[in-house]
Amino acid sequence: MRVLLIVLASVAAHAQPVVAPTPQTAGSPRGDNAGPYNITNSWEVGYRFRDVDGNNGKYRSDVNFGNGVRLLGGTLGVTSRDGKGKWMDELLLDARGLGNDPYQFSSFRVQKNALYRYDLLWRSNEYFNPALPIAGGDHFLSTNRQMQDHDLTLLPQSKLKFRVGYSRNTQGGPGLWTGQWFDGRGDEYSYFANIRRNQDEYRLGGDLQIGRVKLSITRGWELFKDDTNFNRDTLTPGANTTDRNTLSFLRRDEPLHGKTPYWRAHLLADLSKQFTIHGRFTHSDGQRDFIYDEFARGTDRLGAGRNRQTLLTGAGRRPVTTGHATVTWMPNNKVTVANQTGFHQTRMEGDGKYSEINNGSAGIAFAQFQFLGIRNISNTSEASWQPFKQAGVFGSYHFAERRIRSNEQEDFEIPRGTVPIEQINRNKAGIFGARLNPVAPLRILFSAEVGRNDRPFYPTSDKNYEAYTARASWRQKKFDLSTDFKSFNNANSTSLYVHSSTGRTWGATTGFTPRANVRIDAGYNYLLLDTLTGLAYFADFELVESNRSYYVSNLHTLHAGVQAQVQKKVDLYAGFVRTQDRGDGRSAASGAQSVFTAAQVFPVSYASPLARVSFQVRANLRANFGWQYYDYAEKFSRAQNYAAHTGYVSVSYSF
Amino acid sequence: MGLRLLATAGVISCWTLGAQTPAANDSPFAGSNGCRPCHPAQALQFFRNPHFKTTVAKGATPENMGCEACHGAGKKHIAAGGGRATIPNAFSLMQPNQVLDACLRCHSKDVNRANIRRSSHTQANVVCTSCHSIHRSDSAKSLLAAKQADVCYGCHSDVRAQFSQPFKHRVNEGFMTCSDCHNPHGANSGVSKTGHRPRMVETGLQNEQPCMKCHTDKRGPFLFEHAAVRVDGCESCHSPHGSTNARLLKRPVVFTVCLECHNGSGSFGRQADGIPTQSASHNMADPRYRNCTTCHVRVHGSNADRRFLR
């Protein structure tokens, strides 16, 4: 078959992880003129199908594509040809997955040069997660999250701009929760949740530029509501079916309403060609008021009837203040020196009054007060020097001091005069690196970072750490190859409980265009992670302090893809992605007790080959077919394994 | 083929122009119309480009209009009959800091780019033209050389591998983008982990980690805060890109996430005397006690119980 030498369109240069939507669009990329405007558009409508063998819940957690018709993708562009449209100069619409996909997206922009610009971003995510390993498989979520962001800028190209914005984030759907009743030796029960969360944010702002100075101010208000309620009205014996604990009824309402008004201000100034300064200040006042109202009925461990009513009211507050000041000095075009000082302060404090009624008799009641304050002051100095075109060096030094204050009180009446506990942690870190460009296609980068924290907050925090990075890339028109290596080591030791972690990744990615209409790309990545931490826990009423948590991950990821265009009318793609964690190489899970001493591993493989064909039927019509297979296999247990065939057929049409 | 003929004609036309006597006007700027005959592919589609508005901006001076706003005065280039050496800003020949200077001449006032000179990308000589393609982008908004994730994966192969895991944020599916959490132009020092690591992570709207932009129910404030979440951030327990472990946790088994910190040792924790071990009523020999979140359901913070039981 004669193959014309057609330069491939600049579509995904790497193996595309999802088979749809089809990257090739219908219609001419130059569009059609309609009066003073030029219009481009392409709409892909199709049918997705899936066939799942194995754990459908796990498939829905990882992939979640179902059967049905949907708008797989669509674009519309209306552009003024002379930039002097009457009401608008540009309209852009982009959509993906609308109608039936679990992940839907749409963006819209309309603007008139120098007058206004409006942007809308809308997203929807169907989240399904049975997550068997969590809480014995009793935590379940099937929610829909929708997010939308609106931004209007007036006079976008002028020195004085005005900004108005609105964002909304909602999450809703059913879920399964768990909890323990009625005392410390009780049982655990699952119950239903009706999740309802809303967040609205309003923004007003303006930018002013005078000479070399620009000031930007934003005032915002964020309102948040969580009206999730929980219930169970059927008898359940709980996780332990042999004891006498039961739960027969549960009702819980815990509305949480809050607001966070905030200010943000930025000042940028080019004092001269060599000096720039940037200042940033933000302040927000978060407050959440809450009520907790619960009634539970069942039997206790002795088989006696129990009911308990719990009531809690209170409020939490979190003011946050952040400031940054940055000075950048560029004495010539070879040297850049920058210094940033940062300040971040937050405190979380709250009051609550708790009361409990057991079997109709007043039980405990107390008031609570909590305070956690975090203040962080940091300074970072950075320098970069490029003495030659082929070589340059850079370095930085970072110092930070963090103060944490904490006060926890629980009593019938809270005395507020107690002094909170205070601790200070200092971090010092230095980075040195070099970048080389010996010949035009070759770039090499090295960097090393060493950091020390004198008082990390918890055992697995960064304490004495080193990070190394090396990259090399060769990029030419028809061939590119990049390799990288990263290493991160952290040791955080106390007298008996040592934590150390080592993570190393090696990666290589290449792309090759042997002919103008063929593109091959492939990559491999290896992540080696092992961590060791001391544990303390109770087993059979004895405190065990001699065991360790040892986690090993040997994660290999491979991807490859071939893309070809035939006769300017047929686009072919075949790809493959495989991930495998080999753990420590063992072939079977260890016994129950040895889970504390043997390495924690989770050997699993996850593979997904895919293929796609797109035919140009006419200038404004394409037919597309795609198939993608998912194979998820855990080595130790088959309970969550699945194999799924998915695919789609679609047409892309341009009006 | 038509485009090739047009381009050929354009080159001839350019050469012809070059042979003409320069205009009496001694301005070094020729105007964008002077570029069209030799560069028809760029010129014909330029009206779609966000930079096109410079050509119709009222009161704009020649050095801030059209082709010459980025590439510099072009009269000499036309007079010479073309050639990269005769155009002040031939981006394919420029050094990274020169590319930055050229773009920041107009784009430096965007607060999103306030840290670009000190960013990790700039330190690695990854500058504007490493990610953006002004004349050959499929995206009219941000002029990226490819889809955002593909641009980032081109260097960050380890991140690509992480997003290939079964549990991941939906970047490959199009629901999220890298810039939802990161600022590729450089970010201010962060709000957790003493503000140093990880770099290039943008602060959220209320001075928080970007996770709270979507996961607002975890923001609080709560009466009982899980201090590790507030002090060192969500990465204390989660791997935000992708993981083989459920809920993007750092360990496959939940109790190891918890007990690696709750071991009572040292001067850790908010009271600086060790993070409390579990209650003596627990029995880790019983599998019921190995799923901590069965009972401790509100681990991100609770208003009702100091042990996060409700």
Side-chain angles (χ1 to χ4, degrees):
Chain A
M1 178 182 294
R2 183 180 172 203
V3 173
L4 293 177
L5 290 178
I6 303 293
V7 176
L8 276 174
S10 170
V11 292
H14 303 273
Q16 184 173 336
V18 290
V19 71
T22 310
Q24 290 77 23
T25 54
S28 164
R30 285 204 288 271
D32 298 301
N33 292 334
Y37 293 97
N38 178 274
I39 301 174
T40 57
N41 72 97
S42 179
W43 307 94
E44 184 182 8
V45 177
Y47 180 86
R48 268 199 212 261
F49 61 87
R50 69 130 196 248
D51 179 29
V52 181
D53 182 28
N55 192 313
N56 188 53
K58 184 71 172 82
Y59 164 81
R60 291 191 62 191
S61 172
D62 298 342
V63 183
N64 209 15
F65 290 121
N67 298 324
V69 176
R70 63 210 72 200
L71 178 71
L72 286 164
T75 60
L76 170 66
V78 181
T79 313
S80 163
R81 291 158 61 204
D82 61 1
K84 296 174 183 173
K86 189 173 182 185
W87 300 113
M88 66 130 191
D89 289 307
E90 184 177 51
L91 185 148
L92 300 172
L93 176 65
D94 190 16
R96 182 169 174 168
L98 299 186
N100 246 323
D101 264 1
Y103 321 107
Q104 302 183 28
F105 159 92
S106 180
S107 73
F108 176 74
R109 165 176 282 187
V110 61
Q111 64 175 338
K112 170 87 186 82
N113 290 336
L115 186 59
Y116 72 88
R117 181 176 64 232
Y118 170 72
D119 284 297
L120 162 65
L121 178 64
W122 175 86
R123 294 182 273 187
S124 172
N125 179 25
E126 296 287 339
Y127 180 76
F128 185 92
N129 198 332
L132 288 178
I134 302 295
D138 281 341
H139 279 189
F140 163 87
L141 274 180
S142 179
T143 60
N144 173 260
R145 183 189 295 277
Q146 291 195 14
M147 302 192 297
Q148 50 180 294
D149 300 288
H150 305 256
D151 288 284
L152 173 66
T153 304
L154 299 175
L155 311 177
Q157 279 85 51
S158 78
K159 293 184 188 288
L160 177 62
K161 301 178 203 172
F162 300 97
R163 292 178 278 109
V164 181
Y166 169 69
S167 297
R168 183 167 170 84
N169 180 352
T170 63
Q171 185 184 18
L176 264 184
W177 244 243
T178 52
Q180 190 203 39
W181 281 272
F182 283 90
D183 55 43
R185 282 183 283 178
D187 202 349
E188 302 83 53
Y189 307 93
S190 63
Y191 52 96
F192 301 101
N194 178 20
I195 297 161
R196 292 189 299 158
R197 299 174 182 142
N198 296 327
Q199 180 216 15
D200 294 282
E201 183 185 344
Y202 305 89
R203 300 180 290 277
L204 282 176
D207 303 335
L208 173 64
Q209 183 173 342
I210 300 176
R212 293 169 176 266
V213 179
K214 177 174 178 179
L215 177 67
S216 174
I217 295 178
T218 304
R219 172 73 166 147
W221 300 265
E222 183 249 9
L223 306 172
F224 178 73
K225 289 198 300 186
D226 188 341
D227 291 309
T228 303
N229 54 61
F230 306 85
N231 66 86
R232 181 165 191 124
D233 57 10
T234 54
L235 179 70
T236 172
N240 186 352
T241 55
T242 60
D243 64 15
R244 302 177 76 176
N245 295 286
T246 62
L247 179 71
S248 60
F249 180 83
L250 171 70
R251 174 198 53 77
R252 180 200 296 165
D253 295 292
E254 47 175 323
L256 186 155
H257 293 189
K259 60 182 178 183
T260 306
Y262 65 88
W263 284 99
R264 279 189 295 160
H266 292 260
L267 179 74
L268 294 100
D270 293 329
L271 299 180
S272 67
K273 198 173 173 185
Q274 294 162 343
F275 268 108
T276 64
I277 62 171
H278 167 231
R280 174 179 179 265
F281 174 81
T282 67
H283 178 76
S284 60
D285 274 311
Q287 173 160 333
R288 300 281 191 259
D289 301 319
F290 54 85
I291 294 173
Y292 184 100
D293 178 11
E294 177 189 283
F295 179 78
R297 184 174 61 227
T299 56
D300 62 18
R301 65 184 187 277
L302 301 175
R306 286 286 299 268
N307 63 72
R308 184 174 76 189
Q309 184 168 12
T310 307
L311 184 63
L312 169 72
T313 61
R317 295 166 293 278
R318 186 193 294 160
V320 184
T321 305
T322 301
H324 292 94
T326 309
V327 177
T328 306
W329 177 46
M330 293 162 287
N332 53 54
N333 62 3
K334 294 180 190 293
V335 175
T336 303
V337 179
N339 182 278
Q340 179 174 88
T341 300
F343 171 83
H344 173 80
Q345 174 168 294
T346 180
R347 67 173 192 273
M348 287 138 285
E349 56 186 4
D351 297 279
K353 290 189 179 165
Y354 181 97
S355 61
E356 204 175 273
I357 300 172
N358 290 290
N359 285 7
S361 302
I364 52 175
F366 50 86
Q368 306 164 112
F369 172 74
Q370 298 287 316
F371 173 82
L372 177 66
I374 305 168
R375 185 211 69 198
N376 193 15
I377 298 174
S378 66
N379 183 275
T380 307
S381 298
E382 289 141 330
S384 174
W385 180 39
Q386 187 85 23
F388 313 107
K389 179 181 164 184
Q390 295 83 8
V393 293
F394 58 90
S396 71
Y397 177 74
H398 173 88
F399 173 80
E401 180 178 285
R402 179 175 67 194
R403 184 189 73 184
I404 299 170
R405 305 172 82 198
S406 175
N407 189 353
E408 299 169 287
Q409 302 174 53
E410 192 172 281
D411 206 338
F412 295 104
E413 287 185 19
I414 300 296
R416 301 295 176 92
T418 57
V419 176
I421 293 172
E422 182 174 305
Q423 54 181 296
I424 291 179
N425 164 222
R426 294 185 180 91
N427 168 250
K428 298 172 190 171
I431 295 176
F432 176 76
R435 46 181 185 259
L436 307 171
N437 185 203
V439 293
L442 177 63
R443 290 193 174 186
I444 302 170
L445 174 79
F446 300 104
S447 74
E449 177 179 352
V450 176
R452 298 288 182 263
N453 280 305
D454 64 351
R455 197 172 191 180
F457 190 66
Y458 50 85
T460 57
S461 295
D462 294 344
K463 179 173 168 60
N464 300 328
Y465 63 90
E466 291 89 37
Y468 305 101
T469 301
R471 290 185 198 279
S473 67
W474 180 279
R475 294 187 192 275
Q476 288 182 297
K477 197 169 178 183
K478 292 189 175 183
F479 175 75
D480 56 85
L481 171 68
S482 61
T483 60
D484 57 86
F485 169 77
K486 278 189 189 174
S487 168
F488 185 84
N489 306 304
N490 177 44
N492 186 351
S493 62
T494 63
S495 57
L496 294 175
Y497 298 95
V498 175
H499 167 75
S500 70
S501 69
T502 299
R504 295 198 180 95
T505 69
W506 294 263
T509 307
T510 184
F512 179 44
T513 309
R515 306 172 70 153
N517 59 331
V518 177
R519 168 84 181 170
I520 302 167
D521 63 270
Y524 170 76
N525 192 271
Y526 173 45
L527 165 65
L528 169 65
L529 177 65
D530 66 79
T531 69
L532 180 70
T533 317
L535 296 180
Y537 56 87
F538 285 89
D540 295 327
F541 307 107
E542 298 270 340
L543 177 62
V544 179
E545 295 178 303
S546 57
N547 271 331
R548 301 287 181 264
S549 167
Y550 178 39
Y551 175 62
V552 176
S553 173
N554 269 285
L555 194 64
H556 303 261
T557 306
L558 170 72
H559 76 263
V562 177
Q563 186 181 334
Q565 191 179 60
V566 178
Q567 293 274 7
K568 208 169 78 171
K569 289 185 183 296
V570 180
D571 288 87
L572 305 165
Y573 180 80
F576 179 75
V577 179
R578 179 179 167 85
T579 292
Q580 182 171 9
D581 189 338
R582 298 175 60 84
D584 62 358
R586 75 179 76 162
S587 58
S590 305
Q593 275 297 333
S594 62
V595 71
F596 298 103
T597 52
Q600 307 290 317
V601 295
F602 188 54
V604 62
S605 67
Y606 186 51
S608 179
L610 65 154
R612 182 177 57 239
V613 177
S614 177
F615 301 90
Q616 184 178 348
V617 178
R618 292 202 305 264
N620 62 341
L621 179 67
R622 297 187 76 97
N624 317 299
F625 309 91
W627 164 84
Q628 187 162 13
Y629 177 73
Y630 296 90
D631 183 60
Y632 177 84
E634 295 177 19
K635 196 162 188 178
F636 292 164
S637 168
R638 300 174 65 84
Q640 295 198 113
N641 292 358
Y642 65 86
H645 291 274
T646 70
Y648 75 101
V649 295
S650 71
V651 291
S652 300
Y653 189 76
S654 173
F655 295 95
Chain B
M1 183 58 73
L3 203 59
R4 286 189 191 158
L5 287 174
L6 187 59
T8 306
V11 170
I12 294 171
S13 169
C14 183
W15 184 256
T16 304
L17 278 173
Q20 290 175 342
T21 305
N25 182 354
D26 56 2
S27 164
F29 295 93
S32 296
N33 284 335
C35 311
R36 289 168 65 100
C38 299
H39 302 283
Q42 289 80 8
L44 285 172
Q45 299 299 312
F46 192 59
F47 69 92
R48 292 185 213 285
N49 195 300
H51 296 106
F52 180 72
K53 52 176 71 69
T54 63
T55 65
V56 296
K58 289 180 184 171
T61 49
E63 67 269 22
N64 295 318
M65 292 180 70
C67 312
E68 290 165 308
C70 298
H71 293 287
K75 190 174 277 186
K76 188 178 168 185
H77 175 72
I78 295 172
R84 295 183 190 184
T86 58
I87 191 79
N89 291 343
F91 282 80
S92 56
L93 299 179
M94 288 159 67
Q95 290 299 299
N97 58 334
Q98 293 172 319
V99 171
L100 260 185
D101 288 342
C103 300
L104 292 181
R105 203 170 67 82
C106 299
H107 292 289
S108 66
K109 296 298 186 293
D110 190 325
V111 297
N112 194 36
R113 298 181 192 98
N115 290 285
I116 195 166
R117 293 281 185 186
R118 53 180 289 271
S119 75
S120 302
H121 277 159
T122 301
Q123 286 180 343
N125 273 351
V126 176
V127 293
C128 318
T129 48
S130 306
C131 303
H132 296 277
S133 174
I134 306 304
H135 293 294
R136 280 196 290 271
S137 171
D138 289 335
S139 162
K141 274 194 202 173
S142 47
L143 297 179
L144 288 175
K147 269 176 52 182
Q148 188 186 99
D150 289 333
V151 172
C152 304
Y153 291 161
C155 295
H156 299 282
S157 64
D158 56 328
V159 175
R160 183 200 167 94
Q162 289 165 351
F163 280 111
S164 299
Q165 310 306 312
F167 290 97
K168 69 274 185 183
H169 278 110
R170 308 295 181 179
V171 169
N172 294 337
E173 289 80 358
F175 177 73
M176 289 182 68
T177 59
C178 308
S179 55
D180 276 324
C181 303
H182 296 277
N183 185 346
H185 305 117
N188 293 299
S189 56
V191 297
S192 61
K193 283 191 172 182
T194 62
H196 188 41
R197 289 184 138 265
R199 295 190 289 274
M200 307 278 279
V201 174
E202 189 60 276
T203 311
L205 291 168
Q206 279 79 43
N207 306 313
E208 302 152 328
Q209 288 191 282
C211 322
M212 304 305 170
K213 176 177 161 183
C214 300
H215 299 282
T216 49
D217 56 305
K218 310 293 189 293
R219 172 188 291 154
F222 299 105
L223 179 56
F224 300 101
E225 296 277 0
H226 196 177
V229 178
R230 303 301 160 208
V231 173
D232 265 9
C234 308
E235 280 188 280
S236 305
C237 303
H238 296 281
S239 303
H241 290 149
S243 175
T244 52
N245 306 320
R247 311 293 170 120
L248 298 176
L249 290 172
K250 288 189 159 181
R251 303 282 183 271
V253 182
V254 169
F255 78 83
T256 52
V257 179
C258 311
L259 295 189
E260 286 181 4
C261 289
H262 285 272
N263 57 24
S265 67
S267 60
F268 300 111
R270 56 190 291 169
Q271 303 299 327
D273 60 358
I275 299 177
T277 57
Q278 60 181 206
S279 161
S281 65
H282 289 50
N283 178 11
M284 297 301 283
D286 183 347
R288 279 171 55 207
Y289 289 91
R290 295 186 203 148
N291 281 307
C292 309
T293 50
T294 299
C295 297
H296 299 276
V297 288
R298 298 284 193 181
V299 289
H300 301 100
S302 170
N303 293 317
D305 189 279
R306 64 188 307 134
R307 289 170 294 272
F308 313 124
L309 295 176
R310 296 190 188 89

